[in-house]
Amino acid sequence: MTVPMTGVEVMVPRDVPLGGPRAMRVRRTLPQRGRSFIGAWCFLDHYGPDDVAETGGMRLPPHPHIGLQTVSWLFDGEIDHRDSAGNHVLVRPGELNLMTAGRGISHTEDSTSATTVLHGAQLWLALPADSRDTEPRLDHYAPPPVRGPGWQARVFLGTAFGHSSPVATHTPLLGAELMLATGATKAVEVDAAFEHGVLLDVGQVTVEGAAVAPGELVHLPPGRTTIEVTASDEARVLLLGGPPFGEAIVMWWNFVGRSHDEVAAARDDWQAQVAGGRLADGRFGVVEHPDAPIPAPDLPHVRLKERR
Ligand code: MN
């Protein structure tokens, strides 16, 4: 639904099973038909709150990535992250863990045994052409809460609410969590060169007058200096932004590339590493996990198309 006067577009999620025996389900708002990006943000899965006793929680054995960065942003629960760059961290609510895949990384993500409720978002950022082959790494940052009347924010990437994240980015970005009390309104000052997304996690809000339901993602085009969010019921949103990405990408499975052939080569490299049913060393490195690595699905019979 687009409100013509303001360019504000409310996008509805689609329900996607992640696979596995008990199949944790997510609400995917990016990419979708008609929109592949908000700035460099190119993927957004929102999940929970899920009772882990029912869903089995998150269990992601070794799998590869190239050409992107991942953010696991939690509202509740705890995830054990291990990657082939040698990092082992616990992902906790309100803390940024930005994994840069660059030229190739493999990692695992498992909700911990202490987790009873799992609730959060999995986000991907496309790396621009000049840094997409960078070294794999992990950046951790626990942003302090910034408060005002009826609201509290945590800025994990970029600058907003008077706070700047120290984490370096490859394109200008905004990533923040905003909580609003019932009846509160916050006019968030934003960069007019950015397009923005507002994901409603819980509660009821209007964004620039447009009513939003939980799980929906609002898109706002560049050209505005404020975004007004009003909560009619206690609410939490994720605020994302960046200048329009401006590069075409080919996105397939866990890979962001620039051509079909590049993605097919990454798939071949991964399949060579998992051929023995255990993860052998190679381009994506090695990460330890009790489960076998996840083999890549078959490529489609048609050539992968670019997204803009
Ligand atoms: Mn992953």
Side-chain angles (χ1 to χ4, degrees):
M1 178 192 73
T2 302
V3 181
M5 293 299 289
T6 59
V8 175
E9 181 191 2
V10 181
M11 298 187 286
V12 175
R14 63 181 195 283
D15 210 31
V16 180
L18 285 189
R22 283 186 283 184
M24 182 177 155
R25 302 184 78 84
V26 299
R27 298 175 288 276
R28 186 163 298 162
T29 40
L30 269 186
Q32 61 171 264
R33 200 185 301 268
R35 184 160 306 283
S36 299
F37 296 99
I38 295 176
W41 298 102
C42 62
F43 184 89
L44 174 44
D45 274 355
H46 177 221
Y47 53 86
D50 288 332
D51 179 350
V52 168
E54 274 174 33
T55 63
M58 182 181 289
R59 190 170 178 95
L60 286 172
H63 62 278
H65 289 287
I66 62 165
L68 55 77
Q69 296 174 295
T70 65
V71 174
S72 287
W73 186 261
L74 288 180
F75 304 120
D76 206 347
E78 190 179 58
I79 294 171
D80 184 295
H81 164 107
R82 293 166 197 259
D83 67 50
S84 59
N87 301 293
H88 178 206
V89 296
L90 289 177
V91 180
R92 296 193 178 96
E95 299 184 6
L96 174 73
N97 290 279
L98 177 67
M99 186 184 77
T100 302
R103 59 179 167 73
I105 198 168
S106 55
H107 76 136
T108 66
E109 286 183 300
D110 300 287
S111 46
T112 64
S113 56
T115 299
T116 53
V117 174
L118 195 60
H119 185 188
Q122 169 76 212
L123 300 143
W124 293 359
L125 288 158
L127 286 168
D130 58 0
S131 54
R132 67 200 184 91
D133 291 324
T134 191
E135 288 290 302
R137 61 178 283 151
L138 183 77
D139 291 278
H140 175 265
Y141 175 55
V146 187
R147 295 188 181 92
W151 62 268
Q152 175 180 300
R154 289 179 198 271
V155 180
F156 50 90
L157 288 172
T159 298
F161 308 99
H163 181 82
S164 290
S165 166
V167 177
T169 62
H170 295 272
T171 54
L173 286 172
L174 175 61
E177 178 188 288
L178 171 65
M179 292 191 281
L180 291 162
T182 302
T185 290
K186 176 64 180 167
V188 187
E189 287 181 35
V190 293
D191 189 325
F194 285 20
E195 60 181 331
H196 289 91
V198 181
L199 175 83
L200 178 60
D201 172 44
V202 291
Q204 291 292 330
V205 298
T206 58
V207 176
E208 290 294 322
V212 187
E216 292 180 340
L217 175 67
V218 182
H219 177 259
L220 303 109
R224 62 180 63 243
T225 54
T226 59
I227 298 173
E228 191 176 89
V229 185
T230 299
S232 52
D233 193 6
E234 190 177 35
R236 176 165 50 204
V237 303
L238 280 181
L239 186 59
L240 308 172
F245 189 64
E247 294 179 28
I249 63 170
V250 173
M251 195 167 132
W252 179 80
W253 194 42
N254 293 312
F255 303 138
V256 169
R258 292 300 185 277
S259 69
H260 174 97
D261 292 342
E262 185 192 338
V263 167
R267 181 186 182 280
D268 287 347
D269 290 343
W270 178 250
Q271 291 304 87
Q273 281 189 244
V274 304
R278 292 192 51 201
L279 189 56
D281 202 3
R283 171 184 184 174
F284 296 99
V286 172
V287 58
E288 296 298 330
H289 194 275
D291 295 354
I294 303 174
D298 291 332
L299 276 166
H301 293 294
V302 294
R303 288 182 70 80
L304 300 167
K305 282 200 196 104
E306 289 184 342
R307 299 169 178 274
R308 278 175 194 280

